[in-house]
Amino acid sequence: MRKTIHLLLLLLTVTTLSSCFYRGTHKPLIGGIREYKEAPLHADDRPSAQPADDPSFTRNCYDDDDLPPSADPSPSADEPLSAYDDEADPETSPATSLPAADRDARLEIPVLKINLSEQILHRKGYTTSYNADHRIPNWTAWHLLGSHVTGPYKRKGISYREDEEVPLPRATTFDYQQSGYDRGHMCPSGDNKWDAQAQQDCFLLTNMCPQNHNLNGGDWNELEMKCRKWAEHYGDIYIVCGPILYRQKHKTIGRSRIVVPEAFYKVVLRLSPQPAAIGFIYKNEDGNRPMGDYINTVRQVERITGIDFFPQLPDELENRVEKQASLDDWR
């Protein structure tokens, strides 16, 4: 009798296992023998009817805001090929197809999106948004031509000086003495060799922030030199840089109580041969790291600073270039 029962149980087990594998499951049978049923596909899980070789297929798998900085999605069918194609016709590429008004506009001038003290100062080689509350710039912007990085007008013999166009209290040379911080240029002297007045202007203290000495002479200087090489290689670039204040209370120096930034940003735009933009953020501290460690998208820098960069660009072009950042796109 026992043998008969064991035989019947063995036959039942074999039959059930055969049925399970026939239905296509290799799922372990845990806690006894049970029937495997495939879960129905949710609408969002169903394979797309879009062919895998469609160039926009990969891009449609992601939300643009979630793309990593190094992402380089292929162009979709509704995007101009010239924005990506190295062989694009220069007469029709985005760099030259901007409306005349946009080409003539000051593309480097950003817009504050947060409530900050602001006085716009127009100089020969740059424009500054000066913050009288902090005694430093909110931003400094300039259009750097390849021809600007060489010239007879050097910094030798030029003194740092107080900017009398801004109200008191304002930065003086005495504020920086024995402060432990450099007078860090926002628009650097090396970008103003092309004109005597431009070179003089860049030594106004409204173009300065208290900057860590190691940063000023090290990684920040390396980025300044790289920008000059880019200007020579591409013909021209647009640059905006300035301080980042992310703490509730900020360190100050001198009797004028000049605010010491916690970090600095720089964003760079080029229009040819293909439009591209890249952002950088450096903490105001010692460091010696590869340039790639400081890279952010322009969109990320905008979120941190509350500044809208390159607002004169057509919206579609601005949105595209500000969401991507890779040193591989810059020679």
Side-chain angles (χ1 to χ4, degrees):
M1 183 66 179
R2 289 181 179 178
K3 290 183 179 181
T4 303
I5 293 174
H6 288 164
L7 182 60
L8 288 173
L9 288 174
L10 179 61
L11 288 173
L12 179 60
T13 302
V14 171
T15 302
T16 306
L17 286 171
S18 299
S19 175
C20 289
F21 281 99
Y22 177 76
R23 291 166 189 246
T25 181
H26 298 278
K27 190 173 183 180
L29 300 176
I30 301 173
I33 301 169
R34 55 177 177 239
E35 184 178 3
Y36 172 78
K37 293 184 180 179
E38 288 185 307
L41 282 175
H42 187 274
D44 293 337
D45 297 327
R46 293 191 181 108
S48 171
Q50 193 168 11
D53 58 354
D54 186 323
S56 65
F57 181 74
T58 302
R59 181 170 188 153
N60 290 340
C61 293
Y62 303 92
D63 183 271
D64 281 343
D65 287 332
D66 296 330
L67 285 172
S70 60
D72 184 20
S74 302
S76 61
D78 59 347
E79 291 174 327
L81 181 61
S82 56
Y84 299 87
D85 188 359
D86 288 339
E87 304 299 326
D89 183 352
E91 296 300 321
T92 58
S93 69
T96 55
S97 62
L98 291 173
D102 287 333
R103 290 200 304 271
D104 296 337
R106 300 290 300 276
L107 293 179
E108 73 275 17
I109 303 299
V111 175
L112 289 179
K113 294 295 186 180
I114 55 177
N115 186 23
L116 291 175
S117 170
E118 180 175 54
Q119 178 183 350
I120 300 297
L121 304 171
H122 297 286
R123 305 304 183 201
K124 185 68 178 277
Y126 63 90
T127 302
T128 289
S129 165
Y130 175 73
N131 189 317
D133 294 336
H134 299 151
R135 267 74 85 184
I136 56 175
N138 297 311
W139 54 259
T140 300
W142 64 103
H143 182 199
L144 183 61
L145 305 181
S147 59
H148 285 181
V149 305
T150 58
Y153 304 103
K154 307 296 195 301
R155 64 184 295 164
K156 186 177 180 180
I158 300 177
S159 299
Y160 295 91
R161 66 190 191 278
E162 192 173 341
D163 192 337
E164 296 181 356
E165 289 191 33
V166 300
L168 294 169
R170 58 185 177 232
T172 70
T173 57
F174 297 106
D175 291 315
Y176 282 88
Q177 290 180 1
Q178 298 182 337
S179 68
Y181 290 91
D182 287 2
R183 292 161 291 200
H185 284 78
M186 294 296 95
C187 181
S189 170
D191 290 9
N192 290 280
K193 297 176 182 178
W194 57 283
D195 185 88
Q197 185 61 53
Q199 188 64 259
Q200 289 280 345
D201 288 349
C202 81
F203 281 86
L204 290 167
L205 290 176
T206 47
N207 182 43
M208 309 288 162
C209 287
Q211 193 167 49
N212 175 279
H213 175 72
N214 179 272
L215 175 64
N216 185 31
D219 289 355
W220 186 258
N221 181 56
E222 180 185 351
L223 178 58
E224 291 175 338
M225 293 189 292
K226 178 66 74 174
C227 286
R228 288 192 279 274
K229 289 182 179 179
W230 287 337
E232 290 183 297
H233 180 78
Y234 296 112
D236 68 324
I237 57 175
Y238 300 87
I239 304 173
V240 189
C241 74
I244 296 176
L245 307 174
Y246 57 78
R247 294 182 181 142
Q248 293 295 322
K249 293 184 178 181
H250 313 292
K251 183 177 180 179
T252 63
I253 62 170
R255 295 182 63 181
S256 303
R257 300 186 62 82
I258 305 170
V259 168
V260 178
E262 286 84 58
F264 295 93
Y265 67 86
K266 180 169 283 189
V267 294
V268 185
L269 168 73
R270 77 164 193 260
L271 292 180
S272 63
Q274 295 85 35
I278 193 168
F280 301 87
I281 292 178
Y282 292 73
K283 285 190 175 181
N284 195 10
E285 61 187 23
D286 289 351
N288 182 18
R289 303 170 64 182
M291 187 175 294
D293 289 356
Y294 301 106
I295 290 177
N296 289 261
T297 65
V298 174
R299 188 58 51 84
Q300 288 166 333
V301 180
E302 287 181 332
R303 289 171 180 163
I304 292 169
T305 62
I307 301 174
D308 181 12
F309 299 108
F310 313 123
Q312 303 286 355
L313 288 175
D315 288 343
E316 184 275 333
L317 179 58
E318 180 185 4
N319 289 333
R320 183 193 310 153
V321 300
E322 289 187 354
K323 291 179 180 178
Q324 300 179 29
S326 172
L327 274 179
D328 293 338
D329 295 333
W330 296 78
R331 297 181 184 179

